[in-house]
Amino acid sequence: MIAIIDCNSFYCSCERLFRPSLDDKPVVVLSNNDGCIVSRTDEAKALGVAMAGPYFLAKPTIEKYGVATFSSNYNLYGDLSWRVMETLRILLGEKNIEVYSVDEAFLDLSEFKHTNLYEEGLRIKNVVETWTGIKVSIGIAPTKVLSKVANRLCKKNKEATKGVMVLDTPAKISEALQATPVSDVWGIGRQYALKLKEMNAVYTAYDLSKKSAAWAHKNLGGVVGTRMISELNGIPAIEVAKEQLTQKKRIACTRMFGKTVSTITEVKQAVATYASRAAEKLRRQGSAATVVSVFVLTREPSNNGRFRHGNTYSHYTVLPIATSATNELIKHAMALVDVLYDASKQYKKAGVILSGFVPDATIQANLFVAPQQNNQRKLMSTMDNINFALRNDVVQFAATGTKRNWKMRVEMRSPRYTTRWNELFEVK
DNA sequence: TCTGGGGTCCTAGGACCC
DNA sequence: TCTGGGGTCCTAGGACCC
């Protein structure tokens, strides 16, 4: 059996941890740039605050009811996420946990064959909540997709389930599938939901489970679809990952600008900053990149009242020799901006994506690089160490600029209680 | 006026090889 | 002269996830 453990309204729960007075009050957390609502509590939901909706639309409701509102504080959430996952590792053993996202993990429960899984779920939930202060819900079933179904239902009915639901018989599974709209199945997104609706006859997860594998292969993205049918029928087709994927295949740093910008200087400063950030992540995982790509997103005039994204323009460079050096990567990224930039346009967003990774060690062993490149490596690691120790990006490349008009807004961020000494929680 | 960011996997189709 | 069939690798694009 497989469990999915999921933190309830995770970002909001993190904020509540340091503001217990908000425990039964509505709370929302905003995305970067204070653009969208990315987390909301049940109380905020009850007031009609839309999930993933733009902040400015929800603002009247939020102000009317005095909903506590926070900008994203990723340092805080990352640290609390680590505490939750560490608790699970202690309880179940590292090899039985797959950390799926910042607030979710799959657990392989095959070692608990002979115990009462509902009781076991309650126990895990209890320990996590006691040790970390973060409330969680647990769904347990024979497959990942079904555990997600269980998790969703137990969240919808916290009182009766006490936050744990086990689907361990065909009858329970069938009942749960009938109570789940097909659009809420893990793996069915907007496009597929629309397609299934147009095709008629598939409204619930149960309806979908009765479709053939061949049908799903044809209509739901090939093997992805056949796996889905198998999983819904209780036959595992998506393994719990045995080893954590620590090496990313692609590293991106992209941001909306705080306001639209139009000069090439501003675009370049932003892109240089993102390249620096991406390069740091790259070095942290011990990789070097052979592909640098840059994209920019423009602001388009008048959208007729309907939201529309601007157009994106992207371009990439394949490097002759892989590198992890910030200055190298910035240099290539700057050349790409020169290609992409159009003075007649206004820009809302830009991003840098690194890919084509090789282990950084191979660079060291390369006899054909000039000796300066090895000095560069020392410079990079010194920079990373200083920035890590002081936690404030004190050492930077000049190309990233000093004024930074384009920097995103974080107007309502709470203190980084657990990761900055000078923002520690204070007790009188 | 104001709509996030960072990933993954899969498929189709083209280029190239023997 | 005959121009098949199977394999690999790459890229772009589409779908999904939280």
Side-chain angles (χ1 to χ4, degrees), chain A residues 404-421:
Chain A
R404 307 193 170 180
N405 288 327
W406 42 269
K407 252 190 119 173
M408 69 183 186
R409 296 185 294 264
V410 273
E411 284 160 8
M412 294 165 283
R413 190 178 66 202
S414 52
R416 291 165 286 193
Y417 299 110
T418 63
T419 56
R420 294 290 191 285
W421 287 110

Side-chain angles (χ1 to χ4, degrees), chain A residues 250-254 271 290-295 314-318 332-333 336 340 351-355:
Chain A
R250 205 166 73 181
I251 288 172
C253 183
T254 74
V271 168
T290 57
V291 179
V292 182
S293 57
V294 170
F295 74 83
S314 69
H315 206 59
Y316 66 91
T317 306
V318 179
H332 292 290
L336 290 168
L340 294 170
V352 173
I353 302 164
L354 305 177
S355 57

Side-chain angles (χ1 to χ4, degrees), chain A residues 173-219:
Chain A
I173 291 173
S174 157
E175 189 188 343
L177 291 178
Q178 289 177 56
T180 306
V182 73
S183 57
D184 284 338
V185 173
W186 185 54
I188 301 295
R190 265 222 334 274
Q191 302 301 319
Y192 288 159
L194 193 70
K195 192 169 169 183
L196 290 169
K197 194 177 155 196
E198 281 169 357
M199 294 173 102
N200 289 335
V202 180
Y203 303 107
T204 65
Y206 181 81
D207 297 336
L208 183 57
S209 75
K210 294 299 168 197
K211 290 290 179 185
S212 73
W215 180 91
H217 190 278
K218 182 157 173 262
N219 295 291

Side-chain angles (χ1 to χ4, degrees), chain A residues 240-300:
Chain A
V240 176
K242 290 293 170 213
E243 275 166 27
Q244 286 303 310
L245 192 66
T246 48
Q247 300 273 303
K248 302 239 184 289
K249 297 173 179 177
R250 205 166 73 181
I251 288 172
C253 183
T254 74
R255 292 278 182 286
M256 297 289 295
F257 300 137
K259 61 179 183 61
T260 14
V261 306
S262 50
T263 69
I264 193 165
T265 314
E266 288 170 302
V267 176
K268 279 191 166 179
Q269 284 182 4
V271 168
T273 303
Y274 305 157
S276 304
R277 186 73 66 237
E280 261 173 51
K281 294 188 202 170
L282 184 68
R283 293 193 291 270
R284 205 175 303 143
Q285 73 163 34
S287 298
T290 57
V291 179
V292 182
S293 57
V294 170
F295 74 83
V296 290
L297 186 124
T298 58
R299 188 168 81 112
E300 302 300 326

Side-chain angles (χ1 to χ4, degrees), chain A residues 66-80:
Chain A
V67 176
T69 307
F70 297 89
S71 299
S72 294
N73 184 344
Y74 294 108
N75 289 281
L76 179 65
Y77 312 150
D79 188 55
L80 293 172

Side-chain angles (χ1 to χ4, degrees), chain A residues 4-292:
Chain A
I4 178 90
I5 180 162
D6 180 306
C7 303
N8 301 341
S9 311
F10 181 55
Y11 294 173
C12 293
S13 302
C14 294
E15 298 294 349
R16 275 177 168 168
L17 209 49
F18 293 90
R19 310 273 185 99
S21 63
L22 296 176
D23 266 355
D24 46 10
K25 306 266 182 350
V27 178
V28 298
V29 174
L30 308 180
S31 67
N32 271 334
N33 226 19
D34 296 344
C36 291
I37 291 162
V38 287
S39 181
R40 60 174 183 178
T41 61
D42 291 343
E43 296 81 2
K45 184 181 177 183
L47 294 174
V49 176
M51 182 62 175
Y55 172 50
F56 77 94
L57 282 182
K59 211 167 175 179
T61 312
I62 284 172
E63 281 171 356
K64 180 172 170 194
Y65 295 101
V67 176
T69 307
F70 297 89
S71 299
S72 294
N73 184 344
Y74 294 108
N75 289 281
L76 179 65
Y77 312 150
D79 188 55
L80 293 172
S81 169
W82 181 83
R83 294 182 190 192
V84 169
M85 301 309 169
E86 198 57 18
T87 303
L88 293 174
R89 285 185 199 106
I90 291 167
L91 286 177
L92 292 142
E94 187 159 10
K95 67 177 194 329
N96 295 318
I97 315 264
E98 178 193 349
V99 177
Y100 179 66
S101 75
V102 68
D103 69 334
E104 281 178 62
F106 285 104
L107 316 176
D108 182 345
L109 298 183
S110 46
E111 287 175 18
F112 293 93
K113 223 170 285 177
H114 303 295
T115 59
N116 179 327
L117 288 176
Y118 182 73
E119 293 299 324
E120 185 56 30
L122 282 180
R123 187 183 77 92
I124 294 170
K125 176 177 152 72
N126 237 311
V127 176
V128 172
E129 293 181 352
T130 311
W131 288 10
T132 68
I134 301 288
K135 294 259 189 297
V136 298
S137 304
I138 304 182
I140 302 174
T143 68
K144 279 188 169 179
V145 170
L146 289 176
S147 73
K148 282 280 206 177
V149 167
N151 185 275
R152 172 180 170 278
L153 289 173
C154 83
K155 264 192 187 160
K156 280 188 110 58
N157 202 349
K158 291 196 183 95
E159 306 257 308
T161 60
K162 296 194 201 148
V164 177
M165 182 178 281
V166 183
L167 301 178
D168 52 359
T169 67
K172 285 189 205 168
I173 291 173
S174 157
E175 189 188 343
L177 291 178
Q178 289 177 56
T180 306
V182 73
S183 57
D184 284 338
V185 173
W186 185 54
I188 301 295
R190 265 222 334 274
Q191 302 301 319
Y192 288 159
L194 193 70
K195 192 169 169 183
L196 290 169
K197 194 177 155 196
E198 281 169 357
M199 294 173 102
N200 289 335
V202 180
Y203 303 107
T204 65
Y206 181 81
D207 297 336
L208 183 57
S209 75
K210 294 299 168 197
K211 290 290 179 185
S212 73
W215 180 91
H217 190 278
K218 182 157 173 262
N219 295 291
L220 297 176
V223 301
V224 177
T226 53
R227 279 182 205 149
M228 166 83 63
I229 300 298
S230 171
E231 287 261 323
L232 284 171
N233 285 285
I235 301 154
I238 310 171
E239 301 270 303
V240 176
K242 290 293 170 213
E243 275 166 27
Q244 286 303 310
L245 192 66
T246 48
Q247 300 273 303
K248 302 239 184 289
K249 297 173 179 177
R250 205 166 73 181
I251 288 172
C253 183
T254 74
R255 292 278 182 286
M256 297 289 295
F257 300 137
K259 61 179 183 61
T260 14
V261 306
S262 50
T263 69
I264 193 165
T265 314
E266 288 170 302
V267 176
K268 279 191 166 179
Q269 284 182 4
V271 168
T273 303
Y274 305 157
S276 304
R277 186 73 66 237
E280 261 173 51
K281 294 188 202 170
L282 184 68
R283 293 193 291 270
R284 205 175 303 143
Q285 73 163 34
S287 298
T290 57
V291 179
V292 182

